[in-house]
Amino acid sequence: MSHQPTAEQKIWMYRHMLLSRAYENTLQTIYMEGKTPVFNMAHGTIPGEMHLSQGQEPCAVGVCAHLTAADSITATHRPHHIAIAKGVDLKRMTAEIFGKRDGLSGGRGGHMHLFDSKVRFCCSGIIAQGMGPAVGMALARKLSGKPGVAVSFIGEGAANQGAFHEALNLASLWKLPVVFVIEDNAWGISVAKHASTSVSVNSMRAGAYSMPGIEVLDNDPIAIFQEAGEAIARARRGEGPTLIEIETDRLAGHFMGDAEGYRPVGELDRLKARDPIPRMKALLLAERVLDESAASKIEREAQKVVDDAVTFARQSPYPQPLEALEKLYA
């Protein structure tokens, strides 16, 4: 089956890629508040680590364009692009990142532990941690006879974790409606993929678990859309899981403050020259899906949404210290 995006779907993907980029560019500036002239991760408006996903936006939109409100996602410590594509409340998400009371979890989780039950999205800072829960979500759907698939996003480094193999094994054994998506940005923190992984392409590992393994090259949102469409349709038909590995690019460091001394000379310039957002815009202009006026309007609208979310987060109060004792399991 061929899954070709409509003009409306292409615009949706471009809009959400732009929204994610505008969001993270804005967070990048805010993150440095209170952290100069001497950088201290614990200081400022946004304390703690911050992992940005600039360059990886195609992975999120190409997959999430096929999902519905009944579908679930587990994501990684680099989650913003996926959360935005799944429709997480951006105002409450920003308040959560700021550690505010109006955040998704009352400021308790921060940017690596976002949870929005309304759109069935969650993420974790633990490598490969979301894979088991995604399998559980898919099992629950199958046992209850309810519609919905689960998608688990991981980085390529997570494919070397035991949880990866356990999750693939059970998902295939029980023929569950789950899709595993590997965002391969070639770097596990500062370790190159070739220095940590015995196979060149993680999608080939799918064969050991009797499921299709797909590799998508060139960080191409249209190609991702096509392959994800088939994998998700397969899951909905009751035909079991799929493993997709997407070649993507991390245009920032592993975290804010990363000096990136491990990158080969010229790598970052090469990656920025193939930034997926200008490439997507050029495609839509060439196909006359958009004109320059419409593209500019989308950019302005995206920044307005981001600015409103930041204003909401800044105005939200901080939780009181004793609130840390609430919403706990005894």
Side-chain angles (χ1 to χ4, degrees):
M1 182 184 297
S2 177
H3 292 266
Q4 295 293 335
T6 64
E8 290 75 17
Q9 287 171 320
K10 290 177 182 177
I11 293 172
W12 183 92
M13 288 193 286
Y14 181 61
R15 184 184 302 277
H16 284 78
M17 287 171 67
L18 271 177
L19 179 58
S20 181
R21 184 66 61 88
Y23 186 68
E24 291 203 322
N25 286 347
T26 300
L27 285 189
Q28 202 164 8
T29 299
I30 296 170
Y31 183 79
M32 295 307 297
E33 293 176 0
K35 294 183 175 68
T36 56
V38 178
F39 182 83
N40 186 323
M41 191 176 287
H43 292 171
T45 305
I46 304 176
E49 284 190 302
M50 174 63 67
H51 306 84
L52 300 176
S53 58
Q54 289 118 325
Q56 298 184 200
E57 297 93 348
C59 304
V61 299
V63 174
C64 292
H66 297 282
L67 300 182
T68 71
D71 301 322
S72 303
I73 281 182
T74 65
T76 72
H77 57 280
R78 197 180 309 281
H80 303 150
H81 58 314
I82 305 166
I84 286 170
K86 189 60 169 78
V88 171
D89 186 313
L90 200 63
K91 289 182 177 180
R92 295 190 64 210
M93 174 171 146
T94 309
E96 183 64 29
I97 292 170
F98 281 36
K100 297 297 191 72
R101 180 183 289 168
D102 294 321
L104 292 167
S105 299
R108 294 170 175 80
H111 105 104
M112 287 189 282
H113 301 98
L114 302 170
F115 179 78
D116 190 345
S117 60
K118 291 182 179 179
V119 297
R120 292 187 165 87
F121 176 90
C122 62
C123 61
S124 171
I126 307 300
I127 304 302
Q129 190 277 336
M131 300 188 74
V135 170
M137 294 169 188
L139 177 61
R141 290 289 170 179
K142 183 172 183 176
L143 292 177
S144 64
K146 294 180 179 179
V149 303
V151 179
S152 180
F153 284 86
I154 61 172
E156 84 287 340
N160 297 325
Q161 296 287 320
F164 173 88
H165 300 277
E166 294 169 359
L168 265 63
N169 180 59
L170 288 180
S172 181
L173 179 66
W174 295 335
K175 214 170 184 179
L176 298 179
V178 59
V179 178
F180 303 103
V181 179
I182 301 173
E183 296 181 280
D184 176 14
N185 62 30
W187 291 101
I189 307 179
S190 59
V191 178
K193 180 182 177 183
H194 66 78
S196 66
T197 305
S198 62
V199 294
S200 60
V201 182
N202 281 306
S203 57
M204 69 172 59
R205 292 178 166 179
Y209 300 101
S210 300
M211 70 177 70
I214 308 297
E215 181 187 18
V216 184
L217 300 174
D218 200 32
N219 208 19
D220 179 357
I222 305 300
I224 296 167
F225 178 95
Q226 292 168 337
E227 297 294 354
E230 174 54 32
I232 292 167
R234 182 173 182 272
R236 295 197 198 284
R237 293 194 298 266
E239 296 174 14
T242 302
L243 176 65
I244 301 174
E245 181 167 72
I246 300 169
E247 180 188 55
T248 190
D249 298 325
R250 195 187 78 197
L251 300 182
H254 171 66
F255 56 85
M256 285 286 294
D258 181 0
E260 300 184 74
Y262 49 85
R263 287 194 192 262
V265 174
E267 179 185 88
L268 196 53
D269 290 337
R270 176 178 60 81
L271 296 182
K272 288 182 177 179
R274 48 177 256 139
D275 186 326
I277 291 181
R279 290 168 64 196
M280 184 65 167
K281 178 181 178 181
L283 173 67
L284 299 187
L285 291 175
E287 293 181 345
R288 298 187 178 180
V289 172
L290 287 178
D291 58 24
E292 286 287 357
S293 175
S296 296
K297 181 181 179 182
I298 291 174
E299 292 178 22
R300 292 193 303 271
E301 289 173 347
Q303 190 60 56
K304 175 66 164 55
V305 170
V306 171
D307 292 342
D308 288 347
V310 170
T311 298
F312 176 86
R314 288 192 187 277
Q315 293 176 349
S316 175
Y318 283 103
Q320 295 298 311
L322 287 178
E323 290 180 47
L325 303 178
E326 299 175 359
K327 300 184 179 180
L328 301 175
Y329 291 99

